[in-house]
């Protein structure tokens, strides 16, 4: 090869590498300072709205956190769960979403309105949800972490896409692990994210089988602490009003802490899917560690939330930046 041809070849190789790096960037990457020039105060604006809403009702915390989780597990973190359909067939209308508390939707809609007032048409609803989910954790006393941004809002929201994509409270460890694995989350991440059940409520119907019809040999789930089982039976008598709900964390229901794991060790996990994390010997060591070491839980939770925020994201020119979080742009 002549000297000139060699130079030419190197030049092409260099261009190819640069191009591949640019494509990679456009492909799957979120970045922390995505809005640093287009909407530098976005995080402060969202935080302000979330804390105002929190001062009105504590439900802001669990409702916003669960909304983010459900959004991410169904067609990715793309605010598809926010869409309202006049026909009642959007993602939020699916039976698994029936119990998503209205305060989560309200928080995101208010934060979007505040952001639009300063930076119209720039910040996605999906990013606002991710920031708000972090902010509620911090407001309840949990760990802070930086949120990666650059998500675009999805163009699809269908109730029929929900079934099979969300974990059920009756799942065993393998079922829990595999539904999280489908979303690039490890069993360790799953155990840490379950710690979100340190706040919020569950309706009686989601665990009543543990009290009244557990198995042929025992009507009450033997992994339940017996005093706790008694308490639950009085809060949730058979045929109770379906709107009745009880605290997921009976000890510190309004603090984002590791007491959830101490409850599991004590047989006070409300859902089967909570208690199984302690009763299964595979996950028990991690539960014991999180119960004893709040720092380990906080670190694992923050890492897992960032990973959750990457699930199925749309970036670059995919999707759109919705003007109204509850409707696709027309
Ligand atoms: C590990 C598998 C999980 C299962 C089986 C599960 C199941 C449930 C169920 C059945 C409820 C009660 C809903 C109701 O009756 O209203 C609930 C509530 C809740 N879940 Fe989960 N969940 C899981 C993981 C997660 C994750 C990963 C998060 C967030 C990171 C989360 C956040 C919440 C919150 C905050 C509530 C309380 C909602 C409220 O009070 O409005 N859950 N979950
Ligand atoms: C999981 O990660 C792989 C590799 O980075 C990616 O291609 C895939 O889209 C991710 N899946 C989800 C649900 O985010
Ligand atoms: C909060 C919310 O939008 N919940 C909806 C869930 O789905 C049912 C219908 O299945 C709606 O009636 C709820 O409003």
């Amino acid at each position: 090869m002549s000297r000139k041809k060699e130079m030419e070849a190197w030049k092409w190789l260099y261009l190819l590498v640069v191009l591949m790096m640019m494509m990679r960037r456009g492909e799957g990457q979120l970045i922390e300072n995505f809005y640093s020039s287009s909407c530098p105060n976005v995080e402060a604006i969202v935080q302000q709205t979330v804390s105002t809403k929190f001062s009105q009702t504590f439900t802001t915390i669990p409702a916003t956190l669960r909304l983010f989780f459900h959004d991410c597990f169904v067609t990715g973190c793309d605010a598809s769960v926010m869409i309202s359909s006049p026909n009642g067939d959007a993602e939020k209308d699916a039976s698994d979403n029936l119990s998503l508390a209205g305060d989560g939707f309200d928080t995101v809609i208010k934060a979007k309105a505040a952001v639009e007032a300063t930076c119209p048409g720039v910040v996605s609803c999906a990013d606002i949800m991710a920031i708000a989910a972090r902010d509620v954790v911090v407001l309840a006393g949990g760990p802070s972490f930086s949120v990666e941004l650059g998500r675009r809002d999805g163009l699809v929201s269908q109730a029929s896409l929900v079934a099979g994509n969300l974990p059920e409270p009756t799942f065993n460890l393998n079922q829990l692990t595999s539904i999280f694995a489908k979303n690039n989350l490890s069993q360790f991440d799953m155990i840490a994210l379950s710690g979100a059940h340190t706040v919020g409520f569950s309706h009686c119907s989601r665990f009543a089988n543990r009290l009244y019809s557990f198995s042929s040999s025992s009507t009450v789930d033997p992994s339940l602490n017996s005093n706790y089982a008694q308490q639950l039976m009085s809060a949730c008598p058979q045929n109770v009003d379906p709107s009745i709900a009880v605290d997921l964390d009976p000890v510190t229901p309004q603090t984002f802490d590791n007491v959830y794991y101490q409850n599991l060790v004590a047989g006070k996990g409300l859902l089967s899917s909570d208690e199984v994390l302690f009763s299964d010997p595979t996950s028990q060591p991690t539960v014991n560690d999180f119960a004893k070491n709040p720092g380990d839980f906080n670190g694992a939770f923050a890492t897992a939330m960032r990973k959750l925020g990457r699930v199925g994201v749309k970036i670059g020119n995919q999707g759109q930046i919705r003007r109204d979080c509850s409707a696709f742009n027309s």
Side-chain angles (χ1 to χ4, degrees):
M1 233 195 289
S2 76
R3 175 86 203 189
K4 199 169 161 209
K5 275 200 173 143
E6 199 180 320
M7 290 283 285
E8 192 77 350
W10 279 112
K11 204 171 101 191
W12 281 110
L13 185 66
Y14 173 77
L15 282 171
L16 191 72
V17 169
V18 169
L19 194 71
M20 278 168 62
M21 279 165 63
M22 283 169 64
M23 280 169 66
R24 242 191 83 78
R25 171 142 224 78
E27 217 177 322
Q29 314 269 65
L30 301 173
I31 52 171
E32 279 163 26
N33 56 358
F34 188 80
Y35 298 107
S36 58
S37 54
S38 58
C39 193
N41 293 328
V42 60
E43 296 195 44
I45 299 168
V46 172
Q47 204 281 337
Q48 179 62 53
T49 314
V50 174
S51 62
T52 302
K53 172 86 186 156
F54 168 62
S55 67
Q56 293 153 1
T57 171
F58 183 81
T59 316
T60 305
I61 307 283
T64 305
L65 189 52
R66 186 168 185 237
L67 188 64
F68 178 63
F69 169 53
H70 281 217
D71 184 46
C72 293
F73 265 39
V74 181
T75 69
C77 311
D78 64 354
S80 50
V81 74
M82 295 294 300
I83 294 290
S84 290
S85 158
N87 311 321
D89 58 359
E91 202 173 299
K92 68 186 277 201
D93 301 313
S95 61
D96 272 320
N97 270 337
L98 258 168
S99 57
L100 285 173
D103 286 315
F105 293 91
D106 190 48
T107 301
V108 177
I109 284 166
K110 287 189 164 136
K112 172 70 169 175
V115 171
E116 288 296 292
T118 311
C119 328
V122 169
V123 183
S124 66
C125 299
D127 278 345
I128 289 173
M129 290 182 78
I131 299 168
R134 183 269 316 272
D135 292 345
V136 294
V137 169
V138 174
L139 282 167
S144 190
F145 50 93
S146 47
V147 175
E148 297 168 323
L149 300 168
R151 296 169 192 78
R152 308 263 301 173
D153 297 325
L155 300 173
V156 175
S157 175
Q158 277 168 22
S160 60
L161 297 174
V162 176
N165 286 316
L166 289 171
E168 293 298 326
T170 50
F171 275 9
N172 64 29
L173 188 72
N174 282 337
Q175 291 170 310
L176 291 169
T177 304
S178 66
I179 201 163
F180 278 72
K182 275 206 320 197
N183 292 287
N184 289 342
L185 294 159
S186 67
Q187 184 175 81
F188 185 76
D189 297 327
M190 182 273 290
I191 301 168
L193 286 170
S194 295
H197 290 173
T198 179
V199 289
F201 298 96
S202 172
H203 292 85
C204 298
S205 61
R206 310 309 296 266
F207 54 84
N209 65 311
R210 303 185 71 199
L211 306 175
Y212 301 112
S213 55
F214 187 68
S215 70
S216 52
S217 54
S218 168
T219 55
V220 182
D221 183 341
S223 69
L224 270 176
N225 169 290
S226 56
N227 287 330
Y228 184 51
Q230 288 301 324
Q231 276 175 41
L232 292 176
M233 284 189 253
S234 57
C236 298
Q238 280 181 292
N239 305 317
V240 69
D241 177 334
S243 69
I244 301 296
V246 306
D247 291 324
L248 282 156
D249 173 352
V251 180
T252 55
Q254 300 212 334
T255 313
F256 198 100
D257 56 17
N258 68 330
V259 172
Y260 166 82
Y261 300 96
Q262 298 171 7
N263 294 339
L264 303 185
V265 174
K268 295 181 183 174
L270 183 60
L271 306 175
S272 256
S273 54
D274 294 319
E275 196 57 55
V276 77
L277 302 178
F278 180 72
S279 24
D280 193 299
T282 315
S283 44
Q284 190 178 85
T286 303
V287 170
N288 280 327
D289 177 55
F290 288 171
K292 288 197 201 93
N293 302 299
D296 288 357
F297 164 58
N298 284 342
F301 185 81
T303 300
M305 280 291 280
R306 283 163 58 95
K307 286 174 78 174
L308 177 60
R310 292 178 200 138
V311 173
V313 292
K314 281 100 196 151
I315 64 161
N317 54 14
Q318 298 171 311
Q320 61 184 195
I321 304 296
R322 251 178 247 156
R323 280 186 294 276
D324 168 357
C325 293
S326 63
F328 302 120
N329 295 344
S330 50

